[in-house]
PDB file of all heavy atoms in Angstrom:
ATOM      1  N   VAL A 300     -34.655 -10.822  -5.344  1.00 97.00           N
ATOM      2  CA  VAL A 300     -33.552  -9.899  -5.631  1.00 97.00           C
ATOM      3  C   VAL A 300     -33.689  -8.630  -4.789  1.00 97.00           C
ATOM      4  O   VAL A 300     -32.706  -8.111  -4.243  1.00 97.00           O
ATOM      5  CB  VAL A 300     -33.500  -9.569  -7.140  1.00 97.00           C
ATOM      6  CG1 VAL A 300     -32.473  -8.480  -7.413  1.00 97.00           C
ATOM      7  CG2 VAL A 300     -33.158 -10.825  -7.944  1.00 97.00           C
ATOM      8  N   ALA A 301     -34.920  -8.139  -4.647  1.00 96.00           N
ATOM      9  CA  ALA A 301     -35.133  -6.927  -3.847  1.00 96.00           C
ATOM     10  C   ALA A 301     -34.656  -7.143  -2.413  1.00 96.00           C
ATOM     11  O   ALA A 301     -34.148  -6.225  -1.766  1.00 96.00           O
ATOM     12  CB  ALA A 301     -36.605  -6.540  -3.876  1.00 96.00           C
ATOM     13  N   ASN A 302     -34.809  -8.371  -1.919  1.00 97.00           N
ATOM     14  CA  ASN A 302     -34.373  -8.651  -0.541  1.00 97.00           C
ATOM     15  C   ASN A 302     -32.855  -8.584  -0.374  1.00 97.00           C
ATOM     16  O   ASN A 302     -32.351  -8.333   0.721  1.00 97.00           O
ATOM     17  CB  ASN A 302     -34.891 -10.017  -0.094  1.00 97.00           C
ATOM     18  CG  ASN A 302     -36.366  -9.959   0.236  1.00 97.00           C
ATOM     19  OD1 ASN A 302     -36.878  -8.894   0.626  1.00 97.00           O
ATOM     20  ND2 ASN A 302     -37.067 -11.064   0.059  1.00 97.00           N
ATOM     21  N   ILE A 303     -32.127  -8.841  -1.457  1.00 97.00           N
ATOM     22  CA  ILE A 303     -30.664  -8.706  -1.392  1.00 97.00           C
ATOM     23  C   ILE A 303     -30.318  -7.259  -1.024  1.00 97.00           C
ATOM     24  O   ILE A 303     -29.490  -7.002  -0.150  1.00 97.00           O
ATOM     25  CB  ILE A 303     -30.002  -9.042  -2.754  1.00 97.00           C
ATOM     26  CG1 ILE A 303     -30.130 -10.521  -3.080  1.00 97.00           C
ATOM     27  CG2 ILE A 303     -28.533  -8.627  -2.732  1.00 97.00           C
ATOM     28  CD1 ILE A 303     -29.480 -10.916  -4.411  1.00 97.00           C
ATOM     29  N   PHE A 304     -30.977  -6.330  -1.711  1.00 96.00           N
ATOM     30  CA  PHE A 304     -30.685  -4.912  -1.470  1.00 96.00           C
ATOM     31  C   PHE A 304     -30.991  -4.543  -0.023  1.00 96.00           C
ATOM     32  O   PHE A 304     -30.252  -3.783   0.602  1.00 96.00           O
ATOM     33  CB  PHE A 304     -31.491  -4.036  -2.447  1.00 96.00           C
ATOM     34  CG  PHE A 304     -30.978  -4.118  -3.863  1.00 96.00           C
ATOM     35  CD1 PHE A 304     -31.387  -5.122  -4.729  1.00 96.00           C
ATOM     36  CD2 PHE A 304     -30.043  -3.194  -4.317  1.00 96.00           C
ATOM     37  CE1 PHE A 304     -30.899  -5.204  -6.023  1.00 96.00           C
ATOM     38  CE2 PHE A 304     -29.548  -3.263  -5.619  1.00 96.00           C
ATOM     39  CZ  PHE A 304     -29.980  -4.273  -6.472  1.00 96.00           C
ATOM     40  N   LYS A 305     -32.090  -5.121   0.505  1.00 95.00           N
ATOM     41  CA  LYS A 305     -32.459  -4.823   1.894  1.00 95.00           C
ATOM     42  C   LYS A 305     -31.409  -5.362   2.851  1.00 95.00           C
ATOM     43  O   LYS A 305     -30.954  -4.670   3.754  1.00 95.00           O
ATOM     44  CB  LYS A 305     -33.817  -5.446   2.223  1.00 95.00           C
ATOM     45  CG  LYS A 305     -34.967  -4.551   1.775  1.00 95.00           C
ATOM     46  CD  LYS A 305     -36.300  -5.110   2.260  1.00 95.00           C
ATOM     47  CE  LYS A 305     -37.381  -4.736   1.252  1.00 95.00           C
ATOM     48  NZ  LYS A 305     -38.318  -5.827   0.972  1.00 95.00           N
ATOM     49  N   ALA A 306     -31.023  -6.636   2.649  1.00 96.00           N
ATOM     50  CA  ALA A 306     -30.076  -7.260   3.586  1.00 96.00           C
ATOM     51  C   ALA A 306     -28.733  -6.535   3.592  1.00 96.00           C
ATOM     52  O   ALA A 306     -28.093  -6.401   4.627  1.00 96.00           O
ATOM     53  CB  ALA A 306     -29.878  -8.732   3.213  1.00 96.00           C
ATOM     54  N   LYS A 307     -28.330  -6.057   2.420  1.00 95.00           N
ATOM     55  CA  LYS A 307     -27.018  -5.393   2.321  1.00 95.00           C
ATOM     56  C   LYS A 307     -27.075  -3.904   2.629  1.00 95.00           C
ATOM     57  O   LYS A 307     -26.047  -3.269   2.871  1.00 95.00           O
ATOM     58  CB  LYS A 307     -26.474  -5.533   0.880  1.00 95.00           C
ATOM     59  CG  LYS A 307     -25.695  -6.792   0.629  1.00 95.00           C
ATOM     60  CD  LYS A 307     -25.130  -6.788  -0.791  1.00 95.00           C
ATOM     61  CE  LYS A 307     -24.101  -5.713  -1.055  1.00 95.00           C
ATOM     62  NZ  LYS A 307     -22.718  -6.114  -0.848  1.00 95.00           N
ATOM     63  N   GLY A 308     -28.268  -3.318   2.542  1.00 92.00           N
ATOM     64  CA  GLY A 308     -28.371  -1.865   2.627  1.00 92.00           C
ATOM     65  C   GLY A 308     -27.752  -1.243   1.390  1.00 92.00           C
ATOM     66  O   GLY A 308     -27.036  -0.251   1.448  1.00 92.00           O
ATOM     67  N   ARG A 309     -28.024  -1.870   0.224  1.00 88.00           N
ATOM     68  CA  ARG A 309     -27.362  -1.456  -1.015  1.00 88.00           C
ATOM     69  C   ARG A 309     -28.238  -0.503  -1.820  1.00 88.00           C
ATOM     70  O   ARG A 309     -29.446  -0.707  -1.925  1.00 88.00           O
ATOM     71  CB  ARG A 309     -27.082  -2.720  -1.839  1.00 88.00           C
ATOM     72  CG  ARG A 309     -26.443  -2.492  -3.215  1.00 88.00           C
ATOM     73  CD  ARG A 309     -26.116  -3.858  -3.793  1.00 88.00           C
ATOM     74  NE  ARG A 309     -25.673  -3.848  -5.168  1.00 88.00           N
ATOM     75  CZ  ARG A 309     -24.459  -4.242  -5.554  1.00 88.00           C
ATOM     76  NH1 ARG A 309     -23.576  -4.609  -4.654  1.00 88.00           N
ATOM     77  NH2 ARG A 309     -24.132  -4.260  -6.829  1.00 88.00           N
ATOM     78  N   PRO A 310     -27.641   0.553  -2.413  1.00 86.00           N
ATOM     79  CA  PRO A 310     -28.428   1.468  -3.256  1.00 86.00           C
ATOM     80  C   PRO A 310     -29.082   0.709  -4.413  1.00 86.00           C
ATOM     81  O   PRO A 310     -28.444  -0.144  -5.032  1.00 86.00           O
ATOM     82  CB  PRO A 310     -27.381   2.454  -3.782  1.00 86.00           C
ATOM     83  CG  PRO A 310     -26.199   2.314  -2.871  1.00 86.00           C
ATOM     84  CD  PRO A 310     -26.230   0.920  -2.344  1.00 86.00           C
ATOM     85  N   GLN A 311     -30.350   1.032  -4.680  1.00 83.00           N
ATOM     86  CA  GLN A 311     -31.148   0.286  -5.671  1.00 83.00           C
ATOM     87  C   GLN A 311     -30.583   0.352  -7.086  1.00 83.00           C
ATOM     88  O   GLN A 311     -30.840  -0.529  -7.905  1.00 83.00           O
ATOM     89  CB  GLN A 311     -32.587   0.837  -5.715  1.00 83.00           C
ATOM     90  CG  GLN A 311     -33.349   0.718  -4.415  1.00 83.00           C
ATOM     91  CD  GLN A 311     -33.815  -0.695  -4.135  1.00 83.00           C
ATOM     92  OE1 GLN A 311     -33.881  -1.520  -5.041  1.00 83.00           O
ATOM     93  NE2 GLN A 311     -34.128  -0.985  -2.886  1.00 83.00           N
ATOM     94  N   ASP A 312     -29.864   1.434  -7.414  1.00 85.00           N
ATOM     95  CA  ASP A 312     -29.423   1.585  -8.813  1.00 85.00           C
ATOM     96  C   ASP A 312     -28.099   0.870  -9.074  1.00 85.00           C
ATOM     97  O   ASP A 312     -27.525   1.016 -10.138  1.00 85.00           O
ATOM     98  CB  ASP A 312     -29.293   3.074  -9.172  1.00 85.00           C
ATOM     99  CG  ASP A 312     -28.164   3.755  -8.411  1.00 85.00           C
ATOM    100  OD1 ASP A 312     -27.715   3.191  -7.393  1.00 85.00           O
ATOM    101  OD2 ASP A 312     -27.736   4.834  -8.842  1.00 85.00           O
ATOM    102  N   ASN A 313     -27.611   0.118  -8.089  1.00 90.00           N
ATOM    103  CA  ASN A 313     -26.340  -0.583  -8.294  1.00 90.00           C
ATOM    104  C   ASN A 313     -26.640  -2.017  -8.738  1.00 90.00           C
ATOM    105  O   ASN A 313     -27.062  -2.842  -7.932  1.00 90.00           O
ATOM    106  CB  ASN A 313     -25.528  -0.562  -7.001  1.00 90.00           C
ATOM    107  CG  ASN A 313     -24.088  -0.986  -7.231  1.00 90.00           C
ATOM    108  OD1 ASN A 313     -23.704  -1.267  -8.369  1.00 90.00           O
ATOM    109  ND2 ASN A 313     -23.327  -1.059  -6.169  1.00 90.00           N
ATOM    110  N   PRO A 314     -26.431  -2.319 -10.030  1.00 95.00           N
ATOM    111  CA  PRO A 314     -26.878  -3.614 -10.557  1.00 95.00           C
ATOM    112  C   PRO A 314     -26.061  -4.798 -10.030  1.00 95.00           C
ATOM    113  O   PRO A 314     -24.957  -4.641  -9.531  1.00 95.00           O
ATOM    114  CB  PRO A 314     -26.680  -3.450 -12.060  1.00 95.00           C
ATOM    115  CG  PRO A 314     -25.655  -2.389 -12.220  1.00 95.00           C
ATOM    116  CD  PRO A 314     -25.796  -1.474 -11.047  1.00 95.00           C
ATOM    117  N   LEU A 315     -26.640  -5.978 -10.182  1.00 97.00           N
ATOM    118  CA  LEU A 315     -26.027  -7.203  -9.643  1.00 97.00           C
ATOM    119  C   LEU A 315     -25.457  -8.066 -10.765  1.00 97.00           C
ATOM    120  O   LEU A 315     -25.864  -7.958 -11.924  1.00 97.00           O
ATOM    121  CB  LEU A 315     -27.087  -8.011  -8.897  1.00 97.00           C
ATOM    122  CG  LEU A 315     -27.845  -7.292  -7.795  1.00 97.00           C
ATOM    123  CD1 LEU A 315     -28.884  -8.224  -7.196  1.00 97.00           C
ATOM    124  CD2 LEU A 315     -26.886  -6.798  -6.723  1.00 97.00           C
TER     125      LEU A 315
END
Side-chain angles (χ1 to χ4, degrees):
V300 173
N302 284 332
I303 291 181
F304 288 85
K305 276 187 211 138
K307 273 184 65 93
R309 177 174 172 117
Q311 299 285 341
D312 67 342
N313 193 1
L315 305 178

